[in-house]
Amino acid sequence: MAFASSNGEGYELQMGRWSRRLAPTFIRFAGTTGALRVLDVGCGTGNLCLALVQDPEIVSVCGLDIAPAYVEFANRRIDDSRVKCQVGNACALPFADASFDHTVSMLVLQFVPQADLAVREMRRVTRPGGTVAAATWDTRGGFVALRMIYDAAAMLDPNGHQARAAAYTRPMSRPAELARAWEDAGLTNVVQDSLTIRMDFASFTDFWAPVAGKDGPIAGYVGTLSADARGRLQDTVRLAYLDGEADGPRSYAATAWVAKGTVP
């Protein structure tokens, strides 16, 4: 299922708030400190771009995303002349060879139809000695909130198991897939690891709001259901969220695979 993209505010509710939490630890892993030129492939609403320019030594950050609504939102919210976001395709990056010191991508490669080609493009536009790094959610084994919804869907909806399988088997989302793609692209000194954040929700309403929206793969799936089926899914997931206690705050772990390598 494709990544449904409607507007920047919807993405912020669905994923942007978690991107902000993951970005600082991902940047430390990627090792972009002090870089001159950095490319952010799949920049979304600009959270990684914003985190990158917290480093005063970075001269410029170029963000690229296929969703015009997200790019417009990012350019409107980021008040830093070093950052510029533009619309573009990760599989055909509109830049010359060796244009950037480092290229990074956070939480997008699993939604790129030709993810291996995107990795090769990231290598192409990065200078020799530069780093290419990415993060993708461990959707099958490390994303509790996602499992709560898709496992319920698989139980209730005849097509739910197909939606769950598609979510859990996206490219670059399983162990060693990132490292293998990095090595196949000819990158050296390849390192794969994992990073974990907490997803904190104020209430079930806060948890369910992005599901009922128009952005992201879960909202895309839920949007295909009838009103009755959506209601049954919401009621079932609410029981999982409450888990025998009163409604209120909940905190769930979310783990991302990360990989980096050097352009020879």
Side-chain angles (χ1 to χ4, degrees):
M1 183 177 294
F3 191 102
S5 56
S6 176
N7 61 71
E9 289 82 0
Y11 181 83
E12 280 296 294
L13 183 64
Q14 186 264 337
M15 190 53 61
R17 50 182 168 168
W18 315 128
S19 297
R20 286 193 292 277
R21 289 198 173 183
L22 182 62
T25 54
F26 174 58
I27 289 169
R28 286 194 292 272
F29 169 81
T32 59
T33 304
L36 296 179
R37 304 157 299 167
V38 181
L39 173 64
D40 176 7
V41 176
C43 65
T45 50
N47 290 295
L48 181 56
C49 292
L50 278 168
L52 284 164
V53 291
Q54 296 305 302
D55 178 358
E57 295 184 35
I58 288 182
V59 173
S60 68
V61 175
C62 178
L64 179 138
D65 200 277
I66 201 166
Y70 295 170
V71 170
E72 188 279 331
F73 184 93
N75 283 326
R76 178 161 40 89
R77 75 188 286 224
I78 298 175
D79 184 20
D80 191 312
S81 61
R82 294 175 294 164
V83 180
K84 179 63 178 177
C85 298
Q86 66 185 72
V87 176
N89 187 341
C91 295
L93 295 174
F95 308 108
D97 296 356
S99 293
F100 299 93
D101 297 297
H102 299 293
T103 299
V104 293
S105 179
M106 192 172 75
L107 308 179
V108 70
L109 284 180
Q110 61 266 63
F111 300 106
V112 176
Q114 296 176 283
D116 289 335
L117 176 56
V119 176
R120 293 195 295 273
E121 278 288 275
M122 290 165 66
R123 176 198 163 166
R124 178 184 65 79
V125 302
T126 307
R127 65 165 175 79
T131 298
V132 176
T136 60
W137 289 126
D138 175 13
T139 48
R140 173 178 282 162
F143 201 147
V144 175
L146 187 85
R147 288 209 67 114
M148 289 169 62
I149 298 166
Y150 275 123
D151 287 357
M155 179 178 66
L156 296 171
D157 174 24
N159 297 317
H161 68 284
Q162 296 175 349
R164 179 176 66 176
Y168 293 174
T169 59
R170 291 187 184 279
M172 311 291 182
S173 65
R174 288 168 289 183
E177 284 187 322
L178 282 174
R180 185 161 52 247
W182 260 233
E183 290 165 354
D184 289 347
L187 292 157
T188 61
N189 305 315
V190 175
V191 176
Q192 178 161 327
D193 204 341
S194 62
L195 302 173
T196 298
I197 64 166
R198 303 296 301 190
M199 291 184 164
D200 297 323
F201 300 94
S203 64
F204 180 72
T205 297
D206 184 31
F207 180 90
W208 189 257
V211 182
K214 296 181 179 180
D215 291 84
I218 294 181
Y221 162 71
V222 172
T224 68
L225 301 176
S226 68
D228 287 345
R230 287 196 300 271
R232 288 193 297 272
L233 178 62
Q234 181 175 352
D235 290 343
T236 301
V237 176
R238 180 187 289 111
L239 289 174
Y241 181 91
L242 297 180
D243 208 15
E245 296 186 331
D247 194 4
R250 300 289 190 273
S251 181
Y252 302 114
T255 296
W257 298 115
V258 291
K260 63 180 177 180
T262 304
V263 178

Short mmCIF file of all heavy atoms in Angstrom, two decimals, residues 120-171:
data_model
loop_
_atom_site.label_atom_id
_atom_site.label_comp_id
_atom_site.label_asym_id
_atom_site.label_seq_id
_atom_site.Cartn_x
_atom_site.Cartn_y
_atom_site.Cartn_z
N ARG A 120 21.46 3.42 -4.47
CA ARG A 120 22.53 3.69 -5.45
C ARG A 120 22.56 5.16 -5.84
O ARG A 120 23.65 5.74 -6.05
CB ARG A 120 22.34 2.81 -6.69
CG ARG A 120 22.55 1.32 -6.41
CD ARG A 120 22.72 0.53 -7.68
NE ARG A 120 21.52 0.53 -8.52
CZ ARG A 120 20.53 -0.34 -8.39
NH1 ARG A 120 20.57 -1.27 -7.45
NH2 ARG A 120 19.48 -0.29 -9.19
N GLU A 121 21.39 5.80 -5.94
CA GLU A 121 21.34 7.22 -6.23
C GLU A 121 21.93 8.04 -5.07
O GLU A 121 22.64 9.03 -5.30
CB GLU A 121 19.89 7.65 -6.49
CG GLU A 121 19.41 7.39 -7.88
CD GLU A 121 20.07 8.35 -8.87
OE1 GLU A 121 19.56 9.47 -9.04
OE2 GLU A 121 21.11 7.98 -9.46
N MET A 122 21.64 7.62 -3.84
CA MET A 122 22.22 8.32 -2.70
C MET A 122 23.74 8.24 -2.72
O MET A 122 24.44 9.22 -2.43
CB MET A 122 21.65 7.75 -1.40
CG MET A 122 20.17 8.07 -1.19
SD MET A 122 19.38 7.06 0.08
CE MET A 122 20.23 7.61 1.54
N ARG A 123 24.25 7.07 -3.09
CA ARG A 123 25.70 6.94 -3.20
C ARG A 123 26.23 7.84 -4.32
O ARG A 123 27.26 8.52 -4.16
CB ARG A 123 26.08 5.49 -3.50
CG ARG A 123 27.58 5.36 -3.73
CD ARG A 123 28.01 4.11 -4.43
NE ARG A 123 29.38 4.27 -4.94
CZ ARG A 123 30.14 3.28 -5.36
NH1 ARG A 123 29.69 2.05 -5.37
NH2 ARG A 123 31.36 3.53 -5.81
N ARG A 124 25.56 7.88 -5.45
CA ARG A 124 26.04 8.64 -6.61
C ARG A 124 26.22 10.11 -6.30
O ARG A 124 27.21 10.73 -6.73
CB ARG A 124 25.05 8.48 -7.77
CG ARG A 124 25.45 9.27 -9.02
CD ARG A 124 24.41 9.18 -10.11
NE ARG A 124 23.15 9.81 -9.75
CZ ARG A 124 22.91 11.12 -9.78
NH1 ARG A 124 23.88 11.95 -10.13
NH2 ARG A 124 21.72 11.61 -9.44
N VAL A 125 25.30 10.69 -5.55
CA VAL A 125 25.35 12.14 -5.32
C VAL A 125 26.20 12.51 -4.11
O VAL A 125 26.32 13.69 -3.77
CB VAL A 125 23.93 12.73 -5.16
CG1 VAL A 125 23.08 12.44 -6.39
CG2 VAL A 125 23.23 12.22 -3.90
N THR A 126 26.81 11.51 -3.46
CA THR A 126 27.67 11.75 -2.30
C THR A 126 29.13 11.65 -2.71
O THR A 126 29.52 10.73 -3.43
CB THR A 126 27.36 10.73 -1.19
OG1 THR A 126 25.96 10.73 -0.91
CG2 THR A 126 28.13 11.05 0.08
N ARG A 127 29.93 12.57 -2.24
CA ARG A 127 31.34 12.62 -2.64
C ARG A 127 32.11 11.42 -2.07
O ARG A 127 31.72 10.85 -1.04
CB ARG A 127 31.99 13.90 -2.13
CG ARG A 127 32.06 14.00 -0.61
CD ARG A 127 33.01 15.08 -0.15
NE ARG A 127 32.98 15.26 1.29
CZ ARG A 127 33.60 14.47 2.16
NH1 ARG A 127 34.29 13.41 1.75
NH2 ARG A 127 33.52 14.72 3.47
N PRO A 128 33.21 11.04 -2.72
CA PRO A 128 34.08 10.01 -2.15
C PRO A 128 34.52 10.39 -0.73
O PRO A 128 34.89 11.54 -0.47
CB PRO A 128 35.28 9.97 -3.11
CG PRO A 128 34.69 10.41 -4.42
CD PRO A 128 33.67 11.48 -4.04
N GLY A 129 34.44 9.43 0.17
CA GLY A 129 34.75 9.69 1.58
C GLY A 129 33.56 10.14 2.38
O GLY A 129 33.62 10.19 3.62
N GLY A 130 32.45 10.49 1.71
CA GLY A 130 31.24 10.89 2.41
C GLY A 130 30.44 9.69 2.89
O GLY A 130 30.70 8.54 2.52
N THR A 131 29.44 9.97 3.69
CA THR A 131 28.63 8.93 4.31
C THR A 131 27.22 8.92 3.74
O THR A 131 26.63 9.98 3.53
CB THR A 131 28.57 9.13 5.84
OG1 THR A 131 29.88 9.03 6.38
CG2 THR A 131 27.67 8.10 6.50
N VAL A 132 26.69 7.73 3.53
CA VAL A 132 25.28 7.53 3.21
C VAL A 132 24.66 6.77 4.37
O VAL A 132 25.16 5.72 4.77
CB VAL A 132 25.11 6.73 1.89
CG1 VAL A 132 23.64 6.45 1.63
CG2 VAL A 132 25.73 7.49 0.73
N ALA A 133 23.58 7.31 4.95
CA ALA A 133 22.97 6.69 6.13
C ALA A 133 21.46 6.74 6.02
O ALA A 133 20.90 7.66 5.42
CB ALA A 133 23.43 7.39 7.41
N ALA A 134 20.80 5.74 6.61
CA ALA A 134 19.33 5.71 6.58
C ALA A 134 18.79 5.01 7.82
O ALA A 134 19.50 4.25 8.49
CB ALA A 134 18.84 4.98 5.32
N ALA A 135 17.53 5.30 8.09
CA ALA A 135 16.78 4.65 9.16
C ALA A 135 15.43 4.21 8.63
O ALA A 135 14.80 4.94 7.86
CB ALA A 135 16.59 5.60 10.35
N THR A 136 14.99 3.02 9.01
CA THR A 136 13.66 2.52 8.66
C THR A 136 13.06 1.82 9.87
O THR A 136 13.78 1.17 10.63
CB THR A 136 13.71 1.52 7.49
OG1 THR A 136 14.52 0.39 7.85
CG2 THR A 136 14.28 2.17 6.23
N TRP A 137 11.76 1.93 10.05
CA TRP A 137 11.13 1.27 11.18
C TRP A 137 11.24 -0.25 11.08
O TRP A 137 11.11 -0.82 10.00
CB TRP A 137 9.65 1.62 11.27
CG TRP A 137 9.33 3.02 11.69
CD1 TRP A 137 8.55 3.92 11.03
CD2 TRP A 137 9.75 3.68 12.89
NE1 TRP A 137 8.47 5.10 11.72
CE2 TRP A 137 9.19 4.99 12.88
CE3 TRP A 137 10.56 3.32 13.98
CZ2 TRP A 137 9.41 5.91 13.89
CZ3 TRP A 137 10.77 4.23 14.99
CH2 TRP A 137 10.21 5.51 14.95
N ASP A 138 11.48 -0.90 12.20
CA ASP A 138 11.38 -2.35 12.32
C ASP A 138 9.90 -2.68 12.51
O ASP A 138 9.43 -2.90 13.62
CB ASP A 138 12.22 -2.84 13.50
CG ASP A 138 12.07 -4.33 13.77
OD1 ASP A 138 11.51 -5.04 12.91
OD2 ASP A 138 12.50 -4.77 14.85
N THR A 139 9.15 -2.70 11.41
CA THR A 139 7.70 -2.77 11.49
C THR A 139 7.20 -4.09 12.07
O THR A 139 6.17 -4.12 12.73
CB THR A 139 7.07 -2.55 10.11
OG1 THR A 139 7.73 -3.36 9.14
CG2 THR A 139 7.21 -1.09 9.69
N ARG A 140 7.90 -5.16 11.81
CA ARG A 140 7.43 -6.46 12.30
C ARG A 140 7.72 -6.66 13.78
O ARG A 140 6.87 -7.10 14.54
CB ARG A 140 8.05 -7.59 11.49
CG ARG A 140 7.73 -8.99 12.04
CD ARG A 140 8.30 -10.08 11.17
NE ARG A 140 7.47 -10.29 9.98
CZ ARG A 140 7.89 -10.92 8.89
NH1 ARG A 140 9.14 -11.35 8.81
NH2 ARG A 140 7.07 -11.10 7.87
N GLY A 141 8.92 -6.34 14.21
CA GLY A 141 9.31 -6.72 15.55
C GLY A 141 9.52 -5.59 16.53
O GLY A 141 9.72 -5.85 17.73
N GLY A 142 9.47 -4.33 16.06
CA GLY A 142 9.85 -3.26 16.97
C GLY A 142 8.95 -2.07 17.01
O GLY A 142 9.34 -1.01 17.52
N PHE A 143 7.72 -2.20 16.51
CA PHE A 143 6.82 -1.03 16.40
C PHE A 143 5.49 -1.41 17.05
O PHE A 143 4.55 -1.85 16.40
CB PHE A 143 6.63 -0.69 14.93
CG PHE A 143 6.17 0.71 14.65
CD1 PHE A 143 6.59 1.36 13.49
CD2 PHE A 143 5.33 1.40 15.50
CE1 PHE A 143 6.17 2.64 13.19
CE2 PHE A 143 4.89 2.67 15.22
CZ PHE A 143 5.32 3.30 14.07
N VAL A 144 5.40 -1.21 18.37
CA VAL A 144 4.27 -1.71 19.14
C VAL A 144 2.95 -1.09 18.68
O VAL A 144 1.94 -1.80 18.50
CB VAL A 144 4.49 -1.46 20.65
CG1 VAL A 144 3.27 -1.87 21.45
CG2 VAL A 144 5.74 -2.19 21.13
N ALA A 145 2.91 0.22 18.51
CA ALA A 145 1.66 0.89 18.14
C ALA A 145 1.14 0.39 16.80
O ALA A 145 -0.08 0.20 16.62
CB ALA A 145 1.89 2.41 18.08
N LEU A 146 2.03 0.14 15.86
CA LEU A 146 1.63 -0.38 14.56
C LEU A 146 1.01 -1.76 14.69
O LEU A 146 -0.03 -2.06 14.09
CB LEU A 146 2.84 -0.43 13.63
CG LEU A 146 2.58 -0.80 12.18
CD1 LEU A 146 2.18 0.43 11.39
CD2 LEU A 146 3.82 -1.43 11.55
N ARG A 147 1.63 -2.61 15.49
CA ARG A 147 1.14 -3.98 15.65
C ARG A 147 -0.25 -3.98 16.29
O ARG A 147 -1.09 -4.82 15.95
CB ARG A 147 2.10 -4.80 16.49
CG ARG A 147 3.40 -5.16 15.80
CD ARG A 147 3.96 -6.48 16.34
NE ARG A 147 3.09 -7.59 15.99
CZ ARG A 147 3.45 -8.57 15.16
NH1 ARG A 147 4.64 -8.57 14.59
NH2 ARG A 147 2.62 -9.56 14.91
N MET A 148 -0.49 -3.10 17.23
CA MET A 148 -1.80 -3.07 17.88
C MET A 148 -2.91 -2.89 16.86
O MET A 148 -3.98 -3.50 16.96
CB MET A 148 -1.84 -1.94 18.91
CG MET A 148 -0.99 -2.20 20.14
SD MET A 148 -0.79 -0.73 21.18
CE MET A 148 -2.49 -0.41 21.66
N ILE A 149 -2.66 -2.07 15.86
CA ILE A 149 -3.69 -1.76 14.86
C ILE A 149 -3.77 -2.85 13.81
O ILE A 149 -4.86 -3.38 13.53
CB ILE A 149 -3.42 -0.40 14.21
CG1 ILE A 149 -3.46 0.70 15.28
CG2 ILE A 149 -4.43 -0.12 13.11
CD1 ILE A 149 -2.89 2.02 14.83
N TYR A 150 -2.63 -3.24 13.24
CA TYR A 150 -2.67 -4.23 12.17
C TYR A 150 -3.04 -5.62 12.66
O TYR A 150 -3.70 -6.37 11.93
CB TYR A 150 -1.33 -4.27 11.43
CG TYR A 150 -1.22 -3.22 10.35
CD1 TYR A 150 -0.19 -2.29 10.36
CD2 TYR A 150 -2.14 -3.16 9.30
CE1 TYR A 150 -0.08 -1.34 9.36
CE2 TYR A 150 -2.03 -2.21 8.31
CZ TYR A 150 -1.00 -1.30 8.34
OH TYR A 150 -0.89 -0.35 7.35
N ASP A 151 -2.65 -5.98 13.87
CA ASP A 151 -3.05 -7.28 14.38
C ASP A 151 -4.56 -7.34 14.59
O ASP A 151 -5.20 -8.35 14.32
CB ASP A 151 -2.32 -7.59 15.68
CG ASP A 151 -0.85 -7.93 15.47
OD1 ASP A 151 -0.41 -7.97 14.30
OD2 ASP A 151 -0.14 -8.15 16.46
N ALA A 152 -5.14 -6.24 15.06
CA ALA A 152 -6.60 -6.18 15.19
C ALA A 152 -7.26 -6.24 13.82
O ALA A 152 -8.28 -6.93 13.63
CB ALA A 152 -7.01 -4.91 15.93
N ALA A 153 -6.69 -5.53 12.85
CA ALA A 153 -7.26 -5.53 11.50
C ALA A 153 -7.23 -6.93 10.90
O ALA A 153 -8.19 -7.36 10.24
CB ALA A 153 -6.48 -4.56 10.61
N ALA A 154 -6.15 -7.67 11.12
CA ALA A 154 -6.04 -9.02 10.58
C ALA A 154 -7.07 -9.95 11.19
O ALA A 154 -7.53 -10.90 10.54
CB ALA A 154 -4.63 -9.56 10.83
N MET A 155 -7.47 -9.68 12.41
CA MET A 155 -8.46 -10.50 13.07
C MET A 155 -9.88 -10.17 12.61
O MET A 155 -10.74 -11.05 12.50
CB MET A 155 -8.35 -10.30 14.59
CG MET A 155 -9.36 -11.07 15.43
SD MET A 155 -9.10 -10.80 17.19
CE MET A 155 -9.49 -9.05 17.33
N LEU A 156 -10.14 -8.91 12.27
CA LEU A 156 -11.51 -8.46 12.00
C LEU A 156 -11.87 -8.40 10.52
O LEU A 156 -13.04 -8.59 10.16
CB LEU A 156 -11.70 -7.05 12.59
CG LEU A 156 -11.60 -6.92 14.11
CD1 LEU A 156 -11.61 -5.45 14.50
CD2 LEU A 156 -12.75 -7.66 14.78
N ASP A 157 -10.90 -8.11 9.68
CA ASP A 157 -11.17 -7.82 8.27
C ASP A 157 -10.62 -8.94 7.39
O ASP A 157 -9.46 -9.31 7.53
CB ASP A 157 -10.51 -6.49 7.90
CG ASP A 157 -10.61 -6.15 6.42
OD1 ASP A 157 -11.53 -6.66 5.77
OD2 ASP A 157 -9.75 -5.39 5.94
N PRO A 158 -11.43 -9.49 6.47
CA PRO A 158 -10.93 -10.55 5.59
C PRO A 158 -9.67 -10.15 4.82
O PRO A 158 -8.85 -11.00 4.49
CB PRO A 158 -12.10 -10.80 4.64
CG PRO A 158 -13.30 -10.38 5.41
CD PRO A 158 -12.86 -9.23 6.25
N ASN A 159 -9.52 -8.86 4.54
CA ASN A 159 -8.33 -8.38 3.83
C ASN A 159 -7.27 -7.82 4.77
O ASN A 159 -6.22 -7.36 4.32
CB ASN A 159 -8.73 -7.30 2.82
CG ASN A 159 -9.65 -7.84 1.74
OD1 ASN A 159 -9.44 -8.93 1.22
ND2 ASN A 159 -10.68 -7.07 1.41
N GLY A 160 -7.58 -7.85 6.06
CA GLY A 160 -6.67 -7.23 7.02
C GLY A 160 -5.32 -7.92 7.09
O GLY A 160 -4.30 -7.27 7.30
N HIS A 161 -5.31 -9.25 6.92
CA HIS A 161 -4.03 -9.95 7.01
C HIS A 161 -3.12 -9.56 5.85
O HIS A 161 -1.89 -9.53 5.99
CB HIS A 161 -4.24 -11.46 7.03
CG HIS A 161 -4.75 -12.03 5.74
ND1 HIS A 161 -6.06 -11.92 5.35
CD2 HIS A 161 -4.10 -12.70 4.75
CE1 HIS A 161 -6.21 -12.50 4.17
NE2 HIS A 161 -5.05 -12.97 3.78
N GLN A 162 -3.71 -9.22 4.69
CA GLN A 162 -2.90 -8.77 3.55
C GLN A 162 -2.29 -7.40 3.83
O GLN A 162 -1.12 -7.15 3.52
CB GLN A 162 -3.75 -8.74 2.28
CG GLN A 162 -4.25 -10.10 1.85
CD GLN A 162 -5.18 -10.02 0.66
OE1 GLN A 162 -5.63 -8.94 0.27
NE2 GLN A 162 -5.49 -11.17 0.09
N ALA A 163 -3.08 -6.52 4.43
CA ALA A 163 -2.56 -5.20 4.78
C ALA A 163 -1.45 -5.33 5.83
O ALA A 163 -0.43 -4.62 5.77
CB ALA A 163 -3.69 -4.32 5.31
N ARG A 164 -1.64 -6.24 6.78
CA ARG A 164 -0.62 -6.44 7.81
C ARG A 164 0.66 -6.99 7.19
O ARG A 164 1.76 -6.52 7.49
CB ARG A 164 -1.13 -7.39 8.89
CG ARG A 164 -0.10 -7.66 9.98
CD ARG A 164 -0.65 -8.53 11.09
NE ARG A 164 -0.96 -9.88 10.64
CZ ARG A 164 -1.39 -10.86 11.44
NH1 ARG A 164 -1.56 -10.60 12.73
NH2 ARG A 164 -1.65 -12.04 10.97
N ALA A 165 0.52 -7.99 6.32
CA ALA A 165 1.71 -8.58 5.68
C ALA A 165 2.46 -7.53 4.87
O ALA A 165 3.70 -7.48 4.90
CB ALA A 165 1.30 -9.74 4.80
N ALA A 166 1.74 -6.68 4.16
CA ALA A 166 2.40 -5.63 3.37
C ALA A 166 3.16 -4.67 4.28
O ALA A 166 4.26 -4.22 3.95
CB ALA A 166 1.37 -4.88 2.54
N ALA A 167 2.57 -4.35 5.43
CA ALA A 167 3.22 -3.42 6.36
C ALA A 167 4.46 -4.02 7.00
O ALA A 167 5.46 -3.33 7.20
CB ALA A 167 2.23 -3.01 7.45
N TYR A 168 4.41 -5.32 7.31
CA TYR A 168 5.51 -5.96 8.03
C TYR A 168 6.65 -6.40 7.12
O TYR A 168 7.73 -6.75 7.61
CB TYR A 168 5.01 -7.17 8.80
CG TYR A 168 4.06 -6.86 9.94
CD1 TYR A 168 3.42 -7.88 10.63
CD2 TYR A 168 3.79 -5.54 10.32
CE1 TYR A 168 2.55 -7.61 11.67
CE2 TYR A 168 2.92 -5.27 11.35
CZ TYR A 168 2.30 -6.30 12.03
OH TYR A 168 1.42 -6.04 13.06
N THR A 169 6.43 -6.42 5.82
CA THR A 169 7.46 -6.94 4.91
C THR A 169 7.92 -5.88 3.90
O THR A 169 8.40 -6.22 2.83
CB THR A 169 6.95 -8.17 4.15
OG1 THR A 169 5.77 -7.82 3.40
CG2 THR A 169 6.60 -9.30 5.11
N ARG A 170 7.77 -4.63 4.24
CA ARG A 170 8.26 -3.58 3.34
C ARG A 170 9.76 -3.71 3.17
O ARG A 170 10.47 -4.16 4.07
CB ARG A 170 7.92 -2.20 3.92
CG ARG A 170 6.44 -1.87 3.92
CD ARG A 170 6.20 -0.44 4.34
NE ARG A 170 4.78 -0.14 4.43
CZ ARG A 170 4.01 0.16 3.39
NH1 ARG A 170 4.55 0.20 2.18
NH2 ARG A 170 2.73 0.42 3.55
N PRO A 171 10.26 -3.30 1.98
CA PRO A 171 11.71 -3.36 1.78
C PRO A 171 12.48 -2.55 2.82
O PRO A 171 12.01 -1.52 3.27
CB PRO A 171 11.91 -2.77 0.38
CG PRO A 171 10.59 -2.36 -0.13
CD PRO A 171 9.55 -2.73 0.86
#
